[in-house]
Amino acid sequence: MTRFRIGEAADLLGVSADTVRRWVDAGRLTAQRDEHGHRVIDGVDLAAFARAQAADPDAGAEYSSARNRLRGIVVDVRKDTVMAQVDIQAGPFRVVSLMSREAVDELDLRVGSVAVAVIKSTTVVVERAAPPAAKGRSTG
């Protein structure tokens, strides 16, 4: 069974370790103590909590078959005469979109704008993350 320490859970949820501690103390998130006395959160419990905390879909989502919607802020726009690149920071995630310059102009996308990256893909690569290296251990 996968268990996460407070700091690991915080990284996965995109919040501070203090926030996770407050949620545990308030009973919003269940944690146990491990053999060293550290608080740990069961992976299934953390997944259920993360899903419950997920924001409601943006307006218009019910009119689209795409389910992967990341709301964020435009952090960079690069345009040439025909094409453009738009970078969106959605929480800890950077999403880069290539589109026509005409679309960028019509949507009035510029640095500081709020935008939703709607992702519909026939190929999504999923990797299993390597476990964090134990502190104080040498890997070489």
Side-chain angles (χ1 to χ4, degrees):
M1 179 182 317
T2 303
R3 299 186 313 170
F4 298 95
R5 292 182 66 173
I6 296 291
E8 294 169 324
D11 287 343
L12 291 169
L13 295 172
V15 298
S16 71
D18 285 339
T19 296
V20 174
R21 283 187 199 95
R22 283 193 295 274
W23 287 339
V24 169
D25 292 344
R28 292 182 60 198
L29 185 58
T30 304
Q32 300 84 33
R33 298 276 178 181
D34 67 8
E35 61 276 5
H36 304 291
H38 299 140
R39 290 192 281 190
V40 292
I41 301 165
D42 177 75
V44 172
D45 291 339
L46 185 61
F49 181 82
R51 185 174 188 95
Q53 298 304 304
D56 290 332
D58 290 304
E62 64 270 15
Y63 302 110
S64 174
S65 65
R67 296 293 177 250
N68 303 305
R69 304 174 68 83
L70 303 173
R71 187 172 190 267
I73 187 167
V74 175
V75 294
D76 191 25
V77 177
R78 287 182 238 151
K79 300 189 275 189
D80 66 19
T81 56
V82 177
M83 295 299 294
Q85 176 179 318
V86 177
D87 293 21
I88 299 170
Q89 194 67 38
F93 305 105
R94 176 179 172 238
V95 180
V96 178
S97 178
L98 301 176
M99 64 185 78
S100 69
R101 179 189 178 117
E102 179 182 10
V104 170
D105 291 342
E106 285 179 5
L107 293 170
D108 194 25
L109 294 175
R110 55 190 156 181
V111 173
S113 300
V114 174
V116 178
V118 180
I119 302 162
K120 178 89 175 183
S121 178
T122 57
T123 304
V124 176
V125 177
V126 176
E127 299 177 343
R128 181 162 178 167
K135 293 181 180 175
R137 283 194 193 161
S138 173
T139 57

